[in-house]
Amino acid sequence: MSEKTDGVIELTDADFDAGTVAEGWCLVDFYATWCPHCKAFRPDYEAFADSYGGPVKLYAADVDAAKSATKAHKVRSIPCLVLLRDGEIVQSK
């Protein structure tokens, strides 16, 4: 796993391949550093992650660093939140 910034753990394709999001509930923010909407959303996601103490693990994945995961999780536009349970997509928005 990559670094943890403000309560959000950054993921790459290697993390997805290693099964990082394969257990329990996970929420992944798929984003890009060049995306203005992602930049506008990210502070709210980080603030939520800092204050959240629940059972869902909060992650973020740069679509440029996690191209295979982006495709596998059917991300078509960004920012995109994907809720997973035991590695399976429950909801995507």
Side-chain angles (χ1 to χ4, degrees):
M1 251 176 294
S2 298
E3 68 205 52
K4 184 173 184 176
T5 33
D6 297 320
V8 178
I9 300 170
E10 293 287 330
L11 299 174
T12 64
D13 275 336
D15 298 315
F16 282 95
D17 292 342
T20 300
V21 298
E23 292 184 19
W25 289 92
C26 302
L27 183 63
V28 183
D29 170 26
F30 285 89
Y31 74 98
T33 57
W34 46 263
C35 169
H37 299 291
C38 299
K39 288 179 183 179
F41 172 72
R42 188 61 181 256
D44 292 331
Y45 188 64
E46 289 173 351
F48 174 71
D50 286 341
S51 63
Y52 179 71
V56 178
K57 298 174 198 135
L58 302 173
Y59 298 105
D62 186 331
V63 295
D64 294 323
K67 291 180 182 180
S68 294
T70 299
K71 184 177 179 181
H73 291 87
K74 301 176 178 129
V75 175
R76 292 186 174 88
S77 63
I78 53 175
C80 180
L81 291 174
V82 177
L83 180 63
L84 304 165
R85 182 173 186 192
D86 299 329
E88 299 295 320
I89 298 172
V90 174
Q91 185 74 19
S92 180
K93 291 285 179 185

